[in-house]
Amino acid sequence: MHMRRTGAVLSLAAMVGGLAACGGDDKTYASLADKVKDGGTVVVGTKWDQPSLGLKKGAEPEGFDVDVAKAVLNKMAGGKDVKVTWKESASSNREPFLANGTVDIVFATYSITEERKKKVTFGGPYVIAHQDVMVRKDDTSINTPQDLKGKKICKAAGSNSYKRITDPPPDGQLDLDATTVDAASYSECVQKLGGNNLDALTTDDLILAGFAKQAGGNFKVLGQGFTDEKYGIGLKKGDTKTCEAVNTAVKALWDDGTMKQLLQKWFGGIQGLKLSETAPPAEGCA
């Protein structure tokens, strides 16, 4: 009995220690929220290859997700500046980075799904995106998502967007017979689309809008979103204290107008794009 109890205590200590030691600080914390309040350095995972969302052009990434991360952490710290180390987090490594402590928190076009909830605790969502389709500007054969039947679409590593086209509900949406072409990231998908190795790229409209804006008119977005993609804030599984703090911060940012300002800053004026006007309801931290 004594041996079993000791083992359980050690297991619990290891679990808490793993949560607390995120980001490589020598000091340990019971939650990321405690670390933020104590002034510890927070390791934030973002995309580094997605224009207007998370794109590394200099010493740090820039974009909507980056600005939201800064604003949320600032609210959590009571208005104080938070020391941040930025870490590139592609779709394929968001879950393992959170699980092994490589990052403390992820803001990276991270759609909340039931499958992902098994591995990650999500704060938010902080905005709702909608899956849409981007094609070359001179392509007249694809005018609706349903026109992707028989076409070549991109399958970015770690993303489930292609399933919305190829699979039936509940995981998919349209159940179309389309051919998937593998790519390591959405930036590689865009390269393949520009090189005529794809017929279309389909994913969240905010992602597509950023790439279309960067390409200077070489691509067009159909403007026919057909899903709701709830962008969540990824946290280590079980860190409900931080999740609740994050949700409080997100609500405050919508209430004071910051979120609408950031959406306009990065996505305002893009044809076919409908931006969120109100705060999405929180998913809950259970």
Side-chain angles (χ1 to χ4, degrees):
M1 287 295 291
H2 179 70
M3 290 295 290
R4 289 195 193 97
R5 186 174 183 275
T6 302
V9 171
L10 288 173
S11 297
L12 177 61
M15 181 180 70
V16 173
L19 180 66
C22 288
D25 277 7
D26 291 334
K27 191 172 181 179
T28 59
Y29 302 89
S31 72
L32 176 58
D34 295 328
K35 186 178 186 179
V36 171
K37 288 183 179 180
D38 193 49
T41 299
V42 179
V43 182
V44 180
T46 63
K47 298 289 182 69
W48 284 14
D49 67 340
Q50 291 184 350
S52 296
L53 284 157
L55 182 67
K56 192 169 187 292
K57 300 178 71 175
E60 296 182 354
E62 63 178 35
F64 176 69
D65 277 349
V66 176
D67 283 355
V68 172
K70 293 176 181 177
V72 167
L73 291 172
N74 180 265
K75 288 288 187 186
M76 290 173 62
K80 298 178 183 177
D81 289 336
V82 177
K83 293 177 288 185
V84 172
T85 297
W86 302 97
K87 177 72 175 178
E88 183 177 18
S89 298
S91 297
S92 57
N93 59 31
R94 291 174 299 200
E95 283 93 5
F97 275 7
L98 284 167
N100 64 28
T102 299
V103 300
D104 293 315
I105 191 168
V106 171
F107 295 78
T109 63
Y110 207 176
S111 295
I112 300 172
T113 67
E114 292 304 314
E115 186 64 27
R116 287 171 177 164
K117 283 182 179 179
K118 297 175 183 177
K119 301 177 182 179
V120 175
T121 291
F122 280 105
Y126 54 95
V127 73
I128 303 293
H130 310 280
Q131 184 157 338
D132 210 323
V133 179
M134 185 171 79
V135 298
R136 290 179 291 275
K137 66 176 181 179
D138 57 353
D139 189 338
T140 59
S141 67
I142 301 174
N143 300 294
T144 69
Q146 287 73 19
D147 291 336
L148 294 177
K149 181 178 181 180
K151 302 293 187 178
K152 291 184 293 184
I153 64 173
C154 204
K155 179 182 177 182
S159 174
N160 59 11
S161 292
Y162 75 95
K163 290 185 177 181
R164 304 285 199 270
I165 304 297
T166 61
D167 292 8
D171 292 332
Q173 186 87 9
L174 301 182
D175 196 18
L176 298 178
D177 185 15
T179 299
T180 59
V181 178
D182 289 339
S185 63
Y186 278 117
S187 56
E188 184 178 336
C189 289
V190 174
Q191 293 173 1
K192 289 179 179 291
L193 180 60
N196 294 315
N197 296 310
L198 293 172
D199 295 308
L201 171 54
T202 176
T203 188
D204 307 346
D205 52 6
L206 296 182
I207 297 175
L208 297 177
F211 281 121
K213 185 176 181 179
Q214 182 189 56
N218 291 328
F219 305 113
K220 60 183 179 182
V221 180
L222 299 187
Q224 298 194 28
F226 59 94
T227 66
D228 288 339
E229 303 297 330
K230 298 174 287 187
Y231 279 9
I233 299 162
L235 299 163
K236 192 176 182 70
K237 183 68 175 175
D239 191 359
T240 55
K241 181 176 181 179
T242 303
C243 177
E244 291 166 357
V246 161
N247 286 347
T248 298
V250 168
K251 183 180 185 303
L253 291 170
W254 273 103
D255 288 346
D256 68 15
T258 299
M259 294 298 293
K260 289 183 70 173
Q261 292 173 6
L262 293 179
L263 284 167
Q264 283 295 324
K265 173 184 175 180
W266 292 104
F267 304 106
I270 296 177
Q271 186 175 1
L273 184 63
K274 298 177 182 178
L275 297 174
S276 295
E277 293 288 333
T278 58
E283 287 281 295
C285 299

